[in-house]
Each structure stands twice: as structure tokens, then as C-alpha cells.
Amino acid sequence: MELEKVDILVEDIVKPENLVYRRPSTLIDVDMHYCPGCGHSTVHKIFMEVVEEMGIQHDIIGVSPVGCSVFAYNYMDVDMQQAAHGRACAVATGIKRMLPDKYVFTYQGDGDLAAIGGNETLHAANRGENFLVIFINNAVYGMTSGQMAPTTIEGMVSTTSPYGRDTKTMGYPLKISELLAPLPGVAYVTRQAVNTVQNVRRAKKALQRALEYQKMGLGFCLVEIVSNCPSNWKMTPLDSNKFVQEVLIPYYPLGDIKVPEVKK
Amino acid sequence: MELEKVDILVEDIVKPENLVYRRPSTLIDVDMHYCPGCGHSTVHKIFMEVVEEMGIQHDIIGVSPVGCSVFAYNYMDVDMQQAAHGRACAVATGIKRMLPDKYVFTYQGDGDLAAIGGNETLHAANRGENFLVIFINNAVYGMTSGQMAPTTIEGMVSTTSPYGRDTKTMGYPLKISELLAPLPGVAYVTRQAVNTVQNVRRAKKALQRALEYQKMGLGFCLVEIVSNCPSNWKMTPLDSNKFVQEVLIPYYPLGDIKVPEVKK
Amino acid sequence: MAKVVGDVVIDIERCKACELCVQACPEHTLALGKQLNHKGYQYVVKINDNCTGCVNCAIICPDAVITVYRKVYKTKQEVPA
Amino acid sequence: MAKVVGDVVIDIERCKACELCVQACPEHTLALGKQLNHKGYQYVVKINDNCTGCVNCAIICPDAVITVYRKVYKTKQEVPA
Amino acid sequence: MGEIKLMKGNEALAEAAIRAGVDAYFGYPITPQSEIIEYLSREATKRSGMLVLQAESEVAAINMIYGAAGCGKKAMTTSSSPGISLMQEGLSYIASAELPCLLANVNRGGPGLGTIQPAQGDYFQATKGGGHGDYHLLVLAPYNVQEMADFVKLGFELAFKYRNPVMILADGALGQMMEKVELPPPEPRRHIEFPWATTGKPKNGERRVITSLHIEPEKMEEINLRLQRKYKQMEEEEVRFQTINIEDAEYIFTAFGLVSRIALKAMELGRKKGYKIGWIRPITLFPFPKKIFEEVASKVKGILDVEMNAGQMVEDVKLSVCGKTRVEFYGRMGGVVPTPEEILDNFEKMFIKGE
Amino acid sequence: MGEIKLMKGNEALAEAAIRAGVDAYFGYPITPQSEIIEYLSREATKRSGMLVLQAESEVAAINMIYGAAGCGKKAMTTSSSPGISLMQEGLSYIASAELPCLLANVNRGGPGLGTIQPAQGDYFQATKGGGHGDYHLLVLAPYNVQEMADFVKLGFELAFKYRNPVMILADGALGQMMEKVELPPPEPRRHIEFPWATTGKPKNGERRVITSLHIEPEKMEEINLRLQRKYKQMEEEEVRFQTINIEDAEYIFTAFGLVSRIALKAMELGRKKGYKIGWIRPITLFPFPKKIFEEVASKVKGILDVEMNAGQMVEDVKLSVCGKTRVEFYGRMGGVVPTPEEILDNFEKMFIKGE
Amino acid sequence: MTHETVFSGFGGQGVLTMGMILGYAAIFEGKEVTWMPSYGPEMRGGTANCITIVSDEMISSPIISKFDTVVALNQPSIDKFEKAVKPGGNILYDITTTLKPPTRSDIHIYSLPAGDIAVELKNTKVLNMTMLGAFIKITGVVKIESIWKGLEAVLPERYHKLIPLNQEAFMRGYNAINVDSAVLI
Amino acid sequence: MTHETVFSGFGGQGVLTMGMILGYAAIFEGKEVTWMPSYGPEMRGGTANCITIVSDEMISSPIISKFDTVVALNQPSIDKFEKAVKPGGNILYDITTTLKPPTRSDIHIYSLPAGDIAVELKNTKVLNMTMLGAFIKITGVVKIESIWKGLEAVLPERYHKLIPLNQEAFMRGYNAINVDSAVLI
Ligand SMILES: Cc1ncc(C[n+]2csc(CCOP(=O)(O)OP(=O)(O)O)c2C)c(N)n1
Ligand SMILES: Cc1ncc(C[n+]2csc(CCOP(=O)(O)OP(=O)(O)O)c2C)c(N)n1
Ligand code: SF4
Ligand code: SF4
Ligand code: SF4
Ligand code: SF4
């Protein structure tokens, strides 16, 4: 009888007309190599949802970094280029200047964007290059397995700060969003997260807004996402999201840092 | 009789005990290759005065850039290293980390420090490297004869912005001092000029303070000097200093941007 | 008063057992099962029928493993007991 | 009341004739001369004796060409007419 | 016949780029080639709509090229020795991702900051791959201002034929000197859709991915084998060189670029003195004209290779003749340009008095 | 006898650096050698006071080395292929300014981002100078974990003897594999005052200037001539290699690094089959052991050179034998490691069946 | 004599440690050893393995594709490496977690309930030691005493109190194997 | 026939232009030309020069150290290049600004008051044309008509109104030289 009821319900509900969520068609139907619970997967998913909903799959070119998300091109069903470590913003500049009518985005980790790629990021922002930078801040070098990133917070342990980051000798955690926001070429800067259902919803909206601003030609848009790295943090996915909430977000507060006035 | 009086006066006054200004002994007694009226010469001179007055000639190591001031080592009578274009702050990091008890400074132009060297500058500042950066902002690439620099102001003509800098496509003039000042590793940021007697006096004081802060181990000190480039601006030295006063300084206002509280 | 009934379909081979959905589900409908999938993960299963189709699990799921369906029954309409 | 008398010594071979000192001198004591130095510059010369040793010229001179001397004569003391 | 002008090599190269319908130039100033970006900044955008962007560095410039070339556009950059060194990672990526582009190295005296005077010390870097991994640029060595112009169009044709970066290896003198140059009529810029270029996923068709990452060694080896096949094909189809007087030659003077002209003059002086000297000028440095050297090797008493470096191309000459004749080297370094007289002197010391 | 441990090549190199009294390590993580900076971050500072700084990039790292080396300190960095490409400008400066330092390239499969598996595709870059101008690194090629450790001390001795950068050219396997290693007792770090080092102008004496800029070509040529003399001296005094069974050899297998071990096994298999095969392992890749190849050339029927690349060291082998014997190449690329069996097969195809 | 082994399982199961203990043990017996881990992004959440070669003479390459013995701690490892066993070689697997056992008829197939044993020992972390014990029983590559020394060398000081437990786990595995029990279909 | 000349003076005196006008003139006569400027930081405020080679055959190197003719527009140029004149070659200088004239006895030494002439023409900018005129009179490397064409090619359109003035300056220099007037001590 229990069983039966279930059957009825399922039969009843699992029908196309009742569908309320499915994997976006723009996300290629393969396993993602990311670790269980990794924010990269989540961001890939919601960004591809945005691309699908805006119907721009054929009008967007992406740049993947060197980092765990180097393989973004295996999952995002759009034209993509893989950039040398840190140079995504230079590569995107080359693309956007050649194809000004297309949407262009880079997807970069914190080591890629803020360490080796600091200059390309700074100058693309300062030139007001009209593309979107999706900046995954997980406070660590994931792919190379756990070294300190520019964003690693004070005292945080990593394989190259085994006794905790000592700001006296290793420098301070870089707040890229706050650093770039004041530049006149920068149109939109926001910091989001994907560690809770509500944050995922907000992050998705931010990504969509950024693409709309690009359409309007407003300039450089940066969407920072405070993310996790359960594997290198040596935490369960659930704990890692808790760490994001309780430790990272207080240091990297969420919300819009710069928003363009849009004349309607 | 006229003549006589002069003779008397001269005889009377040109005596060691009446000396009120002479070339600093720390400035090597050779012609400087700089163009007539170039601010580089002035800054070399006053910085060497500071080194002489502080009596630190034997305890300071300098880093010269690639730019017109590449030859600073021919004029400053202190140990010096010549750094690859833009890498002075990395080289200085190597020196200071090895010799923490010595004074270390870099001397860089705007192309060197802000264009190709942006990342080394940013990260040295963020690490709070305890050395002095003397930043000569003449809004142009001098040595390579007049191309646009990151600091070239809007509409300004250069050999690579022959129709004036168009911020839409070439980016906005970078205010390096304002960009770096907020970083926690940065102790002291000031913007000075050497286009008037009074400004020269102030600039000299700023350089001295920066070295005192370094002595106290307070961290990264940046002394920006808004300077001229008569040759590439195609102006007389006098006009170029007028241009500094009337056009550059309004965009790059002089004064301290960040000052450490020094506990006595 | 309307009753909302939902259901989820889990692509078990894609699940990495991160448990984010388990925590996100207000109805405690999901939990790690006993079986391993080919990747060696103890994939998530449904453990009750309280799903309301709120899509929280699907939204939080990094790997887009969960498809969600939902139906609103008007009061008039007869609800399967 | 005291009188201040100054004088400058110009290292003419170092001068690049940029004229910054000329403008900086409140006493208009300096001006470009007629002669060229070996570098081909029309180096600066003294054109009057009003120098007060204010060192403005020396401070503004990029090439540290000018040495300045100065003496203060007490009223008591006889000043060369 | 095209327009005749008196132009600097740098200007001629820039003018040729405009006339070849190049889509984008990304570069960073450096002596002795800054005239290129300056000329383009003045002329290019207003005349052909070419994009001219002064990058923040050479590292940025070469990666902008990667992006633009990945869209199937004609993109180029130019620099001089230190700047080219900074592009090595980017070039390795471009070669591995098989993107077409053109760059010019107006070689100055090294190593280090060196001098801004002409030199050829970057031959190894250009031909053996200064970057990591097994890749080659296709390298063209102009010897006058005319070729500084001509090799732009040729360079892009080859770059797109092979989807491989092409380098024009010049030197400070070729960049700074003025000579007579005949310019071709301008071609319009035209957009071509390439199946591999990322211009937005086709409505009907697969998405395009430009990458050089292949985690499985087997896959990466395949890529390498494809590259090697390409280089083989270049060796078969693209070798270019020029010879004079080799028919009756007992000795050969060989050199590339500007120096080849000086060696040619030295040959003439030598002929006047009765020495049967011939002259070979490699035009493509990679692929290197092995065969012609192999051929003459068995016929001549010796080859004198002259370069403005410590002896680099001479290794390729030796590899070509492979012991069949004597190969000597004479070089000047650090920006010093040899004279025809000193070349002949040294030839006599090495080969004549020696005998 | 020192301590015996089972260690990864990367760890052994790091441990050896601590024991050699190295003053500073500047580096940026990259697979397959990140264990080096990780190990040093854990161990070095607390044990020897060595400075360990994670730089913002390889470009920054190599220029930090320049600064530290300019103070007369023992400074080192390590990276892998793409990271080494980014250091080319800096290396050219360091070589030109004649500063001593040690770097290691744990070579991975290229070109481009490539793979992280072992490869030897950076031989040209390491030995011919991937940067601009005529300079050379002194290149040491370890073939086991023991040498990964031993070459650190040796490397610094040579670096300071010649005031020249020294590179340890390894590969991903040597970095990742564990083997038995015997470690020497630790040496203290000691400060030595060098007359050329910038440590503050001496009270009695000239100021020190470290530069690679010499505007007059004549001066820059002098610098180059001095460098060339240094490289000559290296060729006379520092050549290192190892041979087995060359006395009666009719054929030679040659290879460097890890592959030389595989070639050695192939030799043994070949000997079992009755082929008189000898083995030569170059240990210094620059200076290259020309003489030994010259010597054997006249005695053997052929040389088989095996590398994990498309054929790079083989050019130096050919230049050494200069036509006196047949030289064949067998290589795998992109991270694929050859087996002894396939080497022997190919030897037979090339030399035996061929005959 | 040369013995070429691959230890394979999920990350976290301690397969790399198995190779290291064997490696140290061999060194203490004056043998040559190479130990080569799988590395790189394919690690991400997936399987880990290490190739350990023990020999009396110098070892040429640490990277090989055929093995004398495959020690598989999970199903994916069996699937991946069964075909890599040299004819006449061994494959050893944990029966508790295995759905599809090896099927080749030209190799020796050994199994034991390592999972159950670990549960009995109330510490799943020592499963690898149990498998190592079985491995030594089968191959005899090194002596048991050498393994004890290897264990000591590999375990950080602070875990040395766990040595007895590890030894027990090892012996349980060692004894669980009857060398003649190899399935040779 | 090949003629190798260096034009030298202060930056701003238009020495580079002299070489370019000569260069174009030679091209119009179907000759080969190379023009090589001094470049680099040594320019800073100092002297500028350009080596211009005109020949009937291909020119090997644009960079040479001995010249058929040296045209010196200031004292430093005389000091620097007098020794670089080939024996039997020419040096031409502006007497108005010269303190230490050339002294070699194995070369032809020509001078003219170019400065004064320029002052008379109320435009010091044309001093270089006056010197060029003298140079052509002495060497006859190209025809005067060719120089006119070269002038047109080199002067930007907007300055073409100045062509007559330049021509006059050129002719003044041309006529100021009596070819036999060369001092040959
Ligand atoms: C030139 C160069 N240097 C270093 C590396 C090695 N590397 C690969 S990814 C990476 C950092 C990745 O960290 P991050 O950018 O934060 O991305 P994540 O993996 O954390 O998502 C590094 C240093 C490289 N591939 N190329
Ligand atoms: C890698 C590299 N790129 C470019 C150059 C060429 N270069 C020399 S100086 C310079 C810019 C100088 O401008 P700036 O830094 O503003 O100093 P200034 O000369 O104005 O004082 C450039 C681009 C170089 N030497 N090395
Ligand atoms: S290593 Fe970290 S960042 Fe990379 S996939 Fe795993 S969890 Fe994500
Ligand atoms: S070019 Fe400009 S910056 Fe350089 S020395 Fe001359 S005036 Fe000064
Ligand atoms: S969130 Fe997705 S991957 Fe994670 S346990 Fe739930 S279904 Fe599996
Ligand atoms: S300021 Fe100095 S250089 Fe300039 S004119 Fe006066 S004395 Fe001469």
C-alpha cells in the first residue's frame, strides 16, 4: 500500500508538464572531474543555465584558465579557448576586440587571476574591456593541490603556508574586487557565493546582470564567487561550505561593490 | 670700480665657511645623460642629498629600471643593480630579503612600474616589502621616445596615441598611488613634484621620511613624483614644468595619500 | 487549500555523494544510500515521499544530478490518499 | 638691520641651458650667455650682483651645476659700498 | 609596378601590414622597432580599420594574439630580443594550439638588456624553439627593407597554410635603415570563417575548443606527431634560399639577413682577388635549406659562415654538410657589424694561408 | 656514510638544498615539482633559516633570484616547462650580468600546457639558450633520485666558480618517483663577501654595479667575448659523462636523464642477444661531452640516441661525430616513456635488419 | 630477481603508503626500489595507485605497464589493472567490496575479506596493511621483519603507538592467504 | 660609383632630413640608397647623425666607419668625424659656429658661413639645405633637379609652400663653394 502510493505519485508527477528543474542543455552531458561538492561544478551549472535562458549559446566565447577549471571547455557547450596560466584577460581582450558583438567571458581561479595574472587582470579592467570575468575565489591553489593563494586568509594553513599564512612575510589576502572596483573602466563588481541555496540563486542573478551590462557595452564586469576546495581544505563538502559561511565570507563580504547607473 | 666691487664681494663670499649649497658628494661627478631640464636629474640630485645627509651611503642598495633612468647607477654613488624592464620590485625583494638591515630602493618610470611591472609592484606592495619605491611619473615612455604610458592623461598626444589618448579604447590614466595605498602592506604613499623650488624641497623631505619609515621597518613606501619629459612632450624645460603644474598636477594631486601612525 | 506534491529523479551515476542536497532538503527526503556507483560513490537516494518539489536539492547540487517535478493539487481535486 | 650678500659659482661645462634657474632666481641674476660649452649648450651666466644666496637656482637646477655662497653682514659691520 | 618609397625597415613592415589587410596588431614598444607600433597607431586604424592596441607588456601582447588568432583573424606582434624572450611561453601555447600568427623580432645585441644595436644572437631561440616542448616557428630572414615589407604577406600565407606561428627575424639595422621599397596595392581586410576558429558555437555543428592541454600522454604524443608531420611538410615545401656563383665555387660564404649582404660584398672582393667564392643566403631559417648545403658540400673546399653572434646558424650548416666539407665560422657580437674586408681577411687566414 | 632515505626526487632536491646551506628559494608552484616548495616551506626556514618565498609568478621568482644572487647569496628556484619559459628573459639577464644561481626544470610534456607527465622536450631551451642573445646555462642531467640531491651542491659550486646560472634538467618521473637516497650531513649557511656583490658600497673601495646594459657595441662585444671564454673553460673543465661497455662496442646507445636507465636496460637485453652495444650517458648537457662521441665515432657502426622528445640532444651527438658514424634517433613525446624492449626493437630495425 | 607491483584503490585508502612500506623494507634488505605514484588532476576524487618495483639490480624505468602483481583495493582497480597482470602473475583483491571479480585464466587470482577483517579490528584505516600482509604471503618479496622496519620508517613518530594494530592487521592478511588457494581456472 | 656620406649635427638641425632628401634624389636617378640614423639613448640632448650611401650597385652594409664625405653642422661633429674621412675624402663644415676647424692634411676641407646665410634668409631652419647645396656642389652625387624632387618627396604637403625658400637656401650654399677652394694643406 505504501509502495503503491509512491508509484501513483511518481507516475503522477514525473511528467514533462510537471518539470520544475532539469540540468541545463548548455551543460554537456558528461561527468565533471571536479571533486565532490566543489563550487566549480555549481558555478558551471548556473552559468550555463544563464546562457541557456538568455539564448546566447551561439553568441558567446569563453576563456578557461589554468587551474582546476582548465577543463571548463569539456563541460560548457560553447566555443572556448584555453589560456596560459594567468593570461585569460589578455586572451579575452584579443577575442573581444576581434568580435565586439559577441559575449566574451573568462573563468579564473584566484591563483590564475590574482597571482600570476594580476597584471593582465588589472590592465584589462583599466582599459574597460567589455567582457565578464568570473572569479572563483577558493583561497587556495586547487589544481596543484593546495598551495597558498593571494586570497588565502591570515593564519590559514596551506601546503606552502604549513604553519598558517603569516602576513608579515607572505603578504596579506588580496581583495581583488575592492582593488579593481574604483577603476573608471570597471562597470560592475559583485561578490557572491554558492555555499547555500539562496547564495546560488543570487550568484546566478549576478552572472545574468553582468552579461546584460556587457550587452549594453558598459565595460569590465567582475563577478567574484567565494567558493570552496573540500579536497585541499581537507574537509567534507558540507564542512567546507560551513567554512565559507563562517570564515571566508566575514573576510570577503558578499554583495555588490560597484553597480553602473543604467540610463533607461 | 664696478668690477672691483664684484671682485671684492666674490673674494669675500666664495669661501668654504659661506657655502650654502653644493652638489652632494654622493652624486658622482660626471655629466648626466638626461635631457636639459629633465626631472630625473633633479630627483637623482635630491635623493643623493638625502643619502648624504642621512649618512647611509654605505648601507643602501638601489635598483635601477629600464627607462631613461636605467643609468641611475652611473650617477648615484651607491651599490646598485639594474633590473629587467618592470621587475625592479622583484629584484628589490630579493635584495631586501637577503639584507634586511640595509636600506633598499627602486627607482622606476611609469612604463616600467605601472605597465609591464604592474604585477611585481602590486605584489611587493601587498607583501609589505620593506623598501622604498621612487616612482617617476612623466606620463610618457621617455627612453623609447614618447609612447603612451599607463599614466598618460586623457587626450594627451604621444607617438602611440597620435590623436590623443582615447580612454574608450586605450584605457584610463592609472593612479598607481591611489591604487596601492589601501593595501595593508603599504606604509607610506605620497605624491610630489620637482617643477618648482618649493616642490623640490617638499619632495626631498618625502624621500627622507620614506627612508626613516624603512628604518622603522614599517613596510612598503611609495614616493610618486610627477615629473616632466620636455624632449618627448616637445616643450622647453620651462614649458614642461608649467605643463606639470597646470595639467598634470590637477589630475595627479600632490600630497600624502597614506601616512603611518608612528608610535614614539 | 492546495497541496503541493513533488518528486526528484536522481542520476545516480553522476552523484558524488557530497551530501549537499541531503542537508538542503527541508523535507529530509534525501540520504546517502548503501550502494556505490561505478565511480565508487555512495550515491543519494529518496527515503520518504515528503518531497514538495522545492528544487533546493537541485539548485545546490554541484553536478546537476537531480531533476525535479512538481504538481499543485487544487483542494477540489482529489489527492491520492 | 642686516644685509645678506650671496654669490653663485656655475660649472659651465655641466650646464644644459634649461633656464630653470633663470626663472627661479628672484633677483634676475642669471641668464643664458652667448657662449656654447663643449656639449653645445648656451650655458648660464651671472648678469648682476643682486644674488642673495637664496639657493633657489641651485635647488631647481637638475644637474647640480650651481654652488651657492652667502654671507650676512651685521649692521655694525661695514658693507663694501 | 607598385609605389616606390624610401622607408625604414620598420615602417615598411608596418605599411605592408596595413596593405596585407591585417586585422590586429598587439605590441609593446621597444627599441629598435618602436616605429612599427608608432606608424600603425598613426596610419592603420584610419586606413584599414586594423585594431592597434598597445599592450601592457609583451606577455600580454602574445596572449592577446592567441585570443585574436583563435578567432581566425590575422593578428601580429613585433618586438626585440628581451621582449621576444617574454613571449616564449605564449609562443609554445600558440604553436601547440596550432594558431596562425605573425611576429617579428628586430634582433638587438644581447644577452640581457645588452645594446640596441643590430645583432643575430636570437637565431637559436627563433629556430630551435626558445619556449618549452618540441615546436618550431617558421622563420623568415629578410636581408633588405623590401623583404621587410614582402615577408608580411608571405608570412601570413604560411601561417594560415600551416596554422603555425611565423617569425620574421630581422635586426636593428634592417629596422632602422631606409632603403628603396616597392609597395603592393592594398588588400581589403576580409573575414573568413574557419571551422576551427571560436566565433560562437555554430547553430548546426560542434563547438570549437582551442587548447594545448592533453592529460593523456598518448593524446599529447599524437599532437606532437601531427606537429612533427607539419614541420616535415614545411621542410619539403617551404625551404627558401638564394645562391650566387656556386657553380664554379671552391668556397662558400654563407650568412642570413643583413650580414648576407656584407658577405656578398666580401665574395665580390674575394673574386677580384681570384678566389672562386660562392654565396648562399638561407631565407627560411626554419625550415633550414639543408639540401643546398649538402649538394655543395661535396664540391667545395670549405664554407665560411658569418653571423652577428657567437655561432648559431653554423650548427645547422654543419648538420647539413655532416662532415663532407670544412665549415668555419666568423662572427661579431653585441651589436658590432662586420665589414666585407674583415670577412675576407678572416677567410684568407682560415682557408688560404691555412692551406 | 650519510643518512639513507626513501624519497621523491623533488623532496631529495629540496632536502639537499637545506643541507647545502642555500640562502634563498623563490618559486611558484607547478606540477610535477610543487613538492619542492612545499617541502621547503615545511622544513627549510625552521631548520637552516633559509628564506622560502612563494613568488607571485615565475617571472617575479627569477628576478628575485637576480636580486638575491646579486648580493652574493646562494639563491635557487625550480619550476617545470611552462614556468621555465617565463623565466627566459630573466635568465638571459642573469647570464649577462654574470650572477651565480641554481634552477631546476622538472620537465613535463609540451608544447603549450601539454601534460604533466615526464618529458625531455626542453633540451634545446636549456642548452642553446631559450632566452635572447649568446649565453649558456651549465646544464646537469640527473638520472636518479640520488643525483637529484647530489647536483644541488655541485650546481652551486659550479655556479659560483663561473658566476653563471646552472640548471638541473630533470623530468616528471625523476621528480615524482621515490628511490633510495644517501644524504650528506648538513652544512651551515655562511655569508661570504664577494667583491662584485652589492651589499652596500664599501667604506674603502668602489661601488658595485650589477648590469647587463652596455650601449657601445664594442663594450657589449667584450662582455660577450668574456662569456664565450667562460663557456670554453667549461668545455675544458666541467664535461661530465658516464660510459659502460664502450671498449668492445660496435653500437652505442646514448640518452640522458631517466631515459638513460631505460637505454641501459635495452643495452643489457641487446647484449643478451649478442649485439655488442655500449652505453654513453651525458651528465653535463652543456658543456656537451663532444670528445667521447668523437672517440667512439671512428670505432662503432652506429649510435642510437633515445630521448623523450622529437630529437634534440641528437643534434649535439651529430655535431660531435660529424659524419664519422651513423647516428639514429628514437623518441617518444608528450609524456610517454619508452620501454627497453621498444628501444631494442627499433635498434634492430634500424641497424640489424637494415644491414 | 625483480618484482613489479601496482597498488591501487581510492584516494585515502592508503595505497601509496603500502608501496612506501614495501619500499623501505626492500631498502633495509639492501635491494633497489622505485616507487612511482599516479599524479595529476585525474586524482580528483578518483583512484590512486603506485607502482613499486623491488629488484636486486638497478631499475631502469619506474613507469611500466605490465605487473607481476596487482593489488586492487576496489572494483575500479580490478577493472583497470586485471589486464595489466603479466601472464602467470598475480592479482590480489578485497572480496568484501567486489562485485565483478577477476576472470583471467592465465594468472593467479587471490582474494580475502580485508574489509571484514578491518571491521573486526574496528579500524578501516588498516585495511591496506591487511592487503599488504596478503601480498607478502603471496610474493615473499621481502621478509616480515623488514616490513616491521618499513612500517616504523613510514609511520610518523606520533602514530607509532598504532604499530601493534598495524602489525596485527598485516598478520591477519598474511594468514588469510593460502598460497595454493590461488584460483587458476 | 659609390659615395658614402655622414651628415652630423645637433638634434633639431635637420641632419636626418638632409640624408633623406639626398636619398630620394638618388632613387629618382635609379640609384641604390641606404640611410642609417644614429639611434638610441645617446641621442638624449646630444648630437644626431645619419650615414647615407648612394651607389650604382647593391649596397652591402648601411653601417660604416669611414666616409667619402663628412658634413658637420657643429663643432662636436667635426671633432667626432674628422678622423673618419677617407684619405682624399672631404669634410664640409659651417664656419659660423666653428672654433676648432679641421686640420687633416690628407683630405679636402670645405667650409661656408651657412649660419650667416641662414640668418640672411631669416630662417635658421634652412641651414641644413644650405649645407646640402654645398655638399652637392662638392660631390655631385646627384643632379640638382633630383634634389628638388627629393625635397618634394620629403617635405610634408603642408610645408610645400616653403620649397622655394629651401631651394634658395640650397643654391646659396651651392654657390658659396668654389670646388677648387678646398684647403689641402
Ligand atoms: C606558467 C605556469 N605556472 C604554474 C602552473 C601550475 N599551476 C596550474 S594551476 C595553478 C594554480 C591554480 O589555482 P587557482 O588559480 O586558484 O585555481 P583552482 O585550481 O584553485 O581552481 C598553478 C600554479 C602552470 N600551469 N603554468
Ligand atoms: C622587456 C622589455 N620591453 C620593452 C623594453 C623597451 N623599453 C625600454 S624603456 C621603456 C619604457 C620607459 O618608459 P618609463 O618607464 O616611463 O621611463 P622613462 O623613460 O619615461 O623615464 C621601454 C618600453 C625593454 N627594454 N624591455
Ligand atoms: S581540488 Fe578543490 S577546486 Fe579543484 S576540483 Fe577539487 S575541490 Fe574543486
Ligand atoms: S627623454 Fe624625457 S625622461 Fe628621458 S631624459 Fe629626456 S626628458 Fe628626461
Ligand atoms: S548534491 Fe548532487 S552530488 Fe551531492 S549528494 Fe546530492 S545528488 Fe549527489
Ligand atoms: S638650471 Fe642648471 S642646467 Fe639649467 S640653465 Fe640653470 S644652471 Fe644650467
Side-chain angles (χ1 to χ4, degrees), chain A residues 146-216:
Chain A
Q147 297 83 7
M148 182 179 70
T151 48
T152 301
I153 62 174
E154 182 158 4
M156 190 171 174
V157 169
S158 76
T159 55
T160 51
S161 58
Y163 310 111
R165 181 177 192 158
D166 173 0
T167 54
K168 287 269 143 300
T169 58
M170 303 172 183
Y172 294 81
L174 252 185
K175 295 187 174 183
I176 287 293
S177 291
E178 283 79 357
L179 184 75
L180 298 182
L183 297 176
V186 174
Y188 177 51
V189 179
T190 185
R191 188 183 283 120
Q192 302 290 333
V194 291
N195 63 319
T196 67
V197 171
Q198 198 190 28
N199 285 344
V200 174
R201 291 182 195 265
R202 291 208 186 100
K204 182 178 169 181
K205 281 212 186 54
L207 290 166
Q208 175 162 354
R209 281 174 70 184
L211 288 178
E212 283 157 0
Y213 295 142
Q214 184 174 161
K215 178 90 183 161
M216 300 177 211

Side-chain angles (χ1 to χ4, degrees), chain B residues 28 57-58 60-61 66 70-71 73-74 76-85 87 90-91 93-95 97-99 102 119-120 123 127, chain F residues 23-24 26 51 53 56-57 59-60 63-64 66-68 70-71 73 89 93 197-203 207-213 215:
Chain B
I28 297 174
Q57 179 181 22
H58 303 288
I60 188 165
I61 295 112
V66 177
V70 64
F71 285 122
Y73 58 70
N74 284 340
M76 301 184 180
D77 193 11
V78 300
D79 275 5
M80 289 195 79
Q81 296 192 17
Q82 196 290 314
H85 189 37
R87 317 308 174 191
V91 171
T93 298
I95 298 171
R97 293 286 185 129
M98 291 293 94
L99 305 171
K102 304 286 182 177
N119 211 33
E120 288 71 25
H123 283 277
R127 282 191 307 267
Chain F
D23 295 303
F26 302 94
L51 170 74
L53 184 60
E56 60 270 31
S57 71
V59 170
N63 286 287
M64 291 171 180
Y66 182 101
C71 300
K73 300 293 188 173
E89 186 204 23
Y93 269 72
T198 56
T199 55
K201 185 190 179 191
K203 290 242 161 36
R207 78 189 195 290
R208 282 74 60 101
V209 172
I210 286 168
T211 184
S212 63
L213 172 65
I215 284 297

